[in-house]
Amino acid sequence: MITKKVTGVDAALEGVESGMTMMLGGFGLSGIPENSIAKLVALDVNNLTCISNNAGVDDFGLGLLLQKKQIKKMVSSYVGENAEFERQMLSGELDVELIPQGTLAERCRAAQAGFPAIYTPAGYGTEVAEGKETREFDGKMYVLEHAFKADFAFVKAWKGDAAGNLVFKGTARNFNPNMCGAATITVAEVEELVPVGTLDPNQIHIPGIFVQRIFQGETYEKRIEQRTVRTRD
Amino acid sequence: MITKKVTGVDAALEGVESGMTMMLGGFGLSGIPENSIAKLVALDVNNLTCISNNAGVDDFGLGLLLQKKQIKKMVSSYVGENAEFERQMLSGELDVELIPQGTLAERCRAAQAGFPAIYTPAGYGTEVAEGKETREFDGKMYVLEHAFKADFAFVKAWKGDAAGNLVFKGTARNFNPNMCGAATITVAEVEELVPVGTLDPNQIHIPGIFVQRIFQGETYEKRIEQRTVRTRD
Amino acid sequence: MALDKNQIAQRIAREVQDGYYVNLGIGIPTLVANYVREDIDVEFQSENGVLGMGPFPYDGEEDADIINAGKQTITTLPGASFFDSATSFSMIRGKHVDLTILGAMEVAENGDIANWKIPGKMVKGMGGAMDLVASAENIIVAMMHTNRAGESKLLKKCSLPLTGVGCVKKIVSNLAVLEVTAAGFKLLERAPGVSVEEIQAATEGALIVDGDIPEMKF
Amino acid sequence: MALDKNQIAQRIAREVQDGYYVNLGIGIPTLVANYVREDIDVEFQSENGVLGMGPFPYDGEEDADIINAGKQTITTLPGASFFDSATSFSMIRGKHVDLTILGAMEVAENGDIANWKIPGKMVKGMGGAMDLVASAENIIVAMMHTNRAGESKLLKKCSLPLTGVGCVKKIVSNLAVLEVTAAGFKLLERAPGVSVEEIQAATEGALIVDGDIPEMKF
């Protein structure tokens, strides 16, 4: 078995440099690679291009990198929860490329799967398609969208093993599996690193071949963005 | 919950007609929809176009349909285990389109996911690419391959529930998940239909939305094509 | 009288049919789940990766790993499943979701919709909306008929950046139910006590009034 | 003396490096697994949907649901995983598999390979071979240097329908180890006791012999 286990977040982020392009999993604050983000803040790398569905909130997730102005460009589908983000974007300090959520997922998957580009109907006829090639198939119009190219992908899983196999929980799965193997180096952080052989081979969401480095995160805050509950009758 | 459970194979194949295009899961004889195939034989429909990685063996799997000359055209990647198949193909009775295995999988997935076509490097420069559009991305050549269009997809899973959720076992998974939702009607047969709520929502390989009809197969022979074993020391 | 948000949701709920997989957008659409008839089978999909959403969790049972696309904590019902984002949009792009209900800032008489950006002011992003409107065959828009200044949001042509072209099929506003046809907005139903004239006055785009227009039923 | 099939596999096994994910084709390539050094970590992928293949099962423990691409019953090792065909070819097309070892009927001096069809005679199909050769950056071909009639299978140009163009990097035949270069087949090693002249005689394509050619080590 090929082992992907590294000693911790320091070893996992070895080679990260300013100016790199990063993919980061998560939807809102759910399933984000908290430990890797904290380390990116500590490393003080800057001029980063971040591909991530959202941009965190002011004081958590990618918001932490935005506060320190480490991000040059964001590629996201929705960034509505972050005041500092909005300020940097409107002032022109931050370059922002907004793309449809399904396009984001599939441009990751294309990189993972060795497809150079895909045709999606999303965004046809809108400013998202401006300057892009469009094409008709069976009477419907599609936009050609290219696979992402990234240096690092940071994903967060529930459980994993030293072979790099990953299992996700609930909707914390989201973009994480699609980003595995979609960058030169995929770093997976997990809540629990379990002994090899304890994960059912039928029930592995991401086979270890898509992961280069794996470590168990020290702590997970797992902050809830919108706590909605009902009261018991 | 939307129920997909039908009374059995008869109800599951309602609407099947001669001349239709069918997808059938399985690799070799592993994970093939045995009960649906048996019913197709009994229904005596013919002029079928079958999209399936393999064509069974003479007396099992799709070989049963070939024996009765119910198949007009096969779209497969490998057909080397079937003498009757070879006879019909060489005599011109059977139309055969051989395509790369990864292309077959991805043309199914494209249909499932609403993509009209994909660019794959497989087959570039070979007769598989003849008459097809090719294109260069980043210095590498790709072939444009279109999503399949099929009337029925017949898949076989290990476990399933009335919501249509499916779980596969081992390498019997193969093309089955990629064919779900890739045809107008997807019929899933399972070894065991379990009560709704007993499958872990984190561990469902195919969500029920991709399946229109589900039933528990009466029997499964699960024939082994190449029994290779080692002796105990 | 014009409908409130809950009444818009209640009216839209009547469009939800037995056996439908439904994607609900943020805002009024989320409320639709509260009004769907209990004698039909419907499943709610959320594009962040869940099918078979249930009600909000009981206080203390919320889980940061189980949320909807609005980032709200949710529960799941028996038969539910979780999946990755690519699979989620396979459901949407592949037309496996039967009905999409979403909000809009503007809709044009040809079915164009704008709901993701106000240049220079508000740029939250399109999230999954562009995928949803580009793929769904059955899109209902839940919206206010006019903005706070009283200006129509049902226009000849959208003024804001588009989310999708020619895709809206039906609109349920606080004033009316309308179908988008080749000739424009066809008035199907009036909110209780709202006149055709009031609807006409609030609609900038072509309004087609064909015969008597009944009041909505809930 | 020319190598037998097991010796070809044994020689190829020396090309397998620590940390490699390897896809083995049917035939001689399957035998390579028997000869890989035990002090390095290697995982075998089979395109029908398994990573982490182990040896054949013990008699009585075979499972129809656990096979390799040759339809042989197999076992899996700790850390193994099963996946669908699309995911399997994502591993292959996405260059996550480090080494592909497969058989060939013909290889041309420019790296073209033919191994799936003899028009009018044998049409088994390409299986996953076209995906593998179109994507892999590291392809080793295991083959006999000549056919039964003694004719070279290392050609100027393939006569059979191609599986892929310009993709073969290395060949291990019963006579030699060769690298495919811009100038043709570069001879790297001779089978024990086989002369350069014998290899030259068995090679139709351009053979580059640069200096002394050592005998193979196993």
Side-chain angles (χ1 to χ4, degrees), chain C residues 78-92:
Chain C
S81 54
F82 297 109
F83 35 85
D84 63 69
S85 299
T87 303
S88 183
F89 284 91
S90 292
M91 295 178 185
I92 291 165

Side-chain angles (χ1 to χ4, degrees), chain A residues 3-14:
Chain A
T3 186
K4 308 299 176 70
K5 189 178 162 184
V6 295
T7 48
V9 69
D10 292 7
L13 270 72
E14 216 164 84

Side-chain angles (χ1 to χ4, degrees), chain D:
Chain D
M1 215 179 69
L3 306 185
D4 64 19
K5 290 183 177 183
N6 276 295
Q7 289 170 312
I8 294 175
Q10 197 179 347
R11 174 60 190 82
I12 290 176
R14 285 188 54 218
E15 304 289 320
V16 178
Q17 293 178 25
D18 189 33
Y20 267 15
Y21 292 99
V22 183
N23 181 290
L24 300 178
I26 301 171
I28 300 175
T30 302
L31 302 171
V32 172
N34 301 333
Y35 298 102
V36 172
R37 280 162 52 191
E38 295 201 351
D39 61 334
I40 61 173
D41 294 325
V42 172
E43 288 187 37
F44 293 104
Q45 195 255 17
S46 196
E47 64 266 28
N48 59 316
V50 55
L51 186 68
M53 274 191 290
F56 295 143
Y58 287 118
D59 197 359
E61 294 184 358
E62 62 273 22
D63 184 340
D65 293 332
I66 302 182
I67 63 171
N68 65 16
K71 284 95 174 179
Q72 297 171 311
T73 46
I74 56 156
T75 60
T76 55
L77 298 173
S81 54
F82 297 110
F83 36 83
D84 63 67
S85 299
T87 303
S88 183
F89 283 92
S90 292
M91 294 177 186
I92 291 166
R93 201 186 308 100
K95 300 187 190 302
H96 306 289
V97 172
D98 300 292
L99 175 62
T100 290
I101 304 170
L102 77 172
M105 297 170 182
E106 297 177 347
V107 174
E109 62 187 37
N110 68 346
D112 288 358
I113 177 172
N115 73 352
W116 72 284
K117 185 179 184 179
I118 304 174
K121 277 170 89 174
M122 189 286 288
V123 191
K124 290 186 183 301
M126 66 292 282
M130 283 195 182
D131 303 274
L132 283 159
V133 302
S135 302
E137 298 193 323
N138 198 356
I139 299 174
I140 300 178
V141 166
M143 67 190 296
M144 292 296 151
H145 215 103
T146 53
N147 64 19
R148 286 175 194 178
E151 296 161 340
S152 180
K153 296 164 73 173
L154 279 70
L155 306 172
K156 286 193 188 309
K157 195 168 179 305
C158 291
S159 67
L160 296 170
L162 296 184
T163 306
V165 294
C167 51
V168 176
K169 302 287 181 289
K170 197 171 248 185
I171 299 163
V172 178
S173 77
N174 54 328
L175 302 183
V177 179
L178 309 104
E179 191 187 343
V180 177
T181 69
F185 300 111
K186 183 174 180 189
L187 185 58
L188 299 181
E189 300 172 22
R190 297 173 291 117
V194 174
S195 69
V196 169
E197 291 67 31
E198 287 173 276
I199 295 164
Q200 178 67 73
T203 308
E204 186 211 276
L207 186 75
I208 301 154
V209 183
D210 192 3
D212 276 351
I213 307 298
E215 284 194 357
M216 290 179 202
K217 288 193 182 60
F218 290 88

Side-chain angles (χ1 to χ4, degrees), chain A residues 22 25 35 39 88-89 92 96 100 138 142 149 162 169 172 178 182 191 216-217 224 227:
Chain A
M22 315 285 186
N35 289 271
K39 183 69 190 173
Q88 289 186 24
M89 175 170 59
V96 179
D138 277 346
Y142 296 83
K149 288 183 174 64
K169 180 170 159 251
N178 308 127
E191 288 183 55
Q216 183 173 309
I224 292 176
R227 188 179 303 269

Side-chain angles (χ1 to χ4, degrees), chain C:
Chain C
M1 217 178 69
L3 306 186
D4 64 20
K5 289 182 177 186
N6 276 295
Q7 289 169 314
I8 293 175
Q10 196 178 349
R11 174 60 191 83
I12 290 175
R14 285 188 54 220
E15 303 290 319
V16 178
Q17 293 178 26
D18 191 32
Y20 268 15
Y21 292 99
V22 183
N23 180 291
L24 300 177
I26 300 169
I28 299 175
T30 302
L31 302 171
V32 172
N34 301 332
Y35 298 102
V36 172
R37 280 161 53 190
E38 294 201 352
D39 63 333
I40 61 174
D41 294 325
V42 172
E43 288 186 37
F44 294 105
Q45 195 255 17
S46 196
E47 64 266 29
N48 58 317
V50 55
L51 185 67
M53 273 191 291
F56 294 142
Y58 288 118
D59 197 358
E61 294 183 358
E62 63 272 22
D63 183 340
D65 292 332
I66 303 182
I67 63 171
N68 65 16
K71 284 96 174 178
Q72 297 171 311
T73 46
I74 55 157
T75 61
T76 56
L77 299 172
S81 54
F82 297 109
F83 35 85
D84 63 69
S85 299
T87 303
S88 183
F89 284 91
S90 292
M91 295 178 185
I92 291 165
R93 199 184 310 99
K95 302 188 190 301
H96 306 289
V97 171
D98 300 291
L99 176 62
T100 290
I101 303 170
L102 77 173
M105 297 170 181
E106 296 178 348
V107 174
E109 62 187 36
N110 69 346
D112 288 357
I113 177 172
N115 73 352
W116 71 285
K117 184 178 183 181
I118 304 174
K121 275 170 88 174
M122 189 285 290
V123 191
K124 289 187 184 301
M126 65 293 281
M130 283 195 181
D131 303 273
L132 282 158
V133 302
S135 302
E137 299 193 322
N138 199 356
I139 299 173
I140 300 178
V141 166
M143 67 190 296
M144 293 296 153
H145 216 103
T146 53
N147 63 19
R148 286 176 194 178
E151 296 162 339
S152 181
K153 295 164 73 172
L154 279 70
L155 306 171
K156 285 192 189 309
K157 196 170 180 303
C158 291
S159 67
L160 296 170
L162 295 183
T163 307
V165 293
C167 52
V168 176
K169 301 288 181 288
K170 198 171 246 186
I171 299 162
V172 178
S173 77
N174 55 328
L175 301 183
V177 178
L178 307 105
E179 191 187 342
V180 177
T181 69
F185 300 112
K186 183 173 180 191
L187 185 59
L188 299 181
E189 299 173 22
R190 298 173 289 119
V194 173
S195 69
V196 169
E197 290 69 30
E198 287 173 276
I199 295 164
Q200 179 67 75
T203 307
E204 185 211 276
L207 186 75
I208 300 156
V209 183
D210 190 3
D212 277 352
I213 307 299
E215 283 192 356
M216 289 179 202
K217 286 191 183 64
F218 290 88

Side-chain angles (χ1 to χ4, degrees), chain A residues 102 106 109 113-121 133 135 137-138 142 144 146 149 158 167-171 173 200-205, chain B residues 102 106 109 113-121 133 135 137-138 142 144 146 149 158 167-171 173 200-205:
Chain A
E106 204 63 27
R109 197 244 171 197
F115 291 111
I118 57 146
Y119 285 108
T120 178
E133 184 178 323
R135 179 163 176 171
F137 291 95
D138 277 346
Y142 296 83
L144 186 73
H146 292 263
K149 288 183 174 64
W158 181 33
V167 175
F168 302 89
K169 180 170 159 251
T171 54
R173 192 182 316 187
D200 179 352
N202 276 310
Q203 297 294 9
I204 285 166
H205 294 138
Chain B
E106 204 63 27
R109 197 246 170 193
F115 291 111
I118 56 146
Y119 286 107
T120 178
E133 184 179 323
R135 179 165 176 169
F137 290 95
D138 276 345
Y142 295 84
L144 186 73
H146 291 262
K149 287 184 175 65
W158 181 33
V167 175
F168 303 88
K169 180 171 159 251
T171 54
R173 191 181 317 186
D200 178 352
N202 277 312
Q203 296 294 8
I204 285 166
H205 294 139

Side-chain angles (χ1 to χ4, degrees), chain A residues 44-57:
Chain A
D44 212 22
V45 287
N46 54 40
N47 275 308
L48 302 176
T49 295
C50 292
I51 298 164
S52 168
N53 189 58
N54 310 93
V57 294

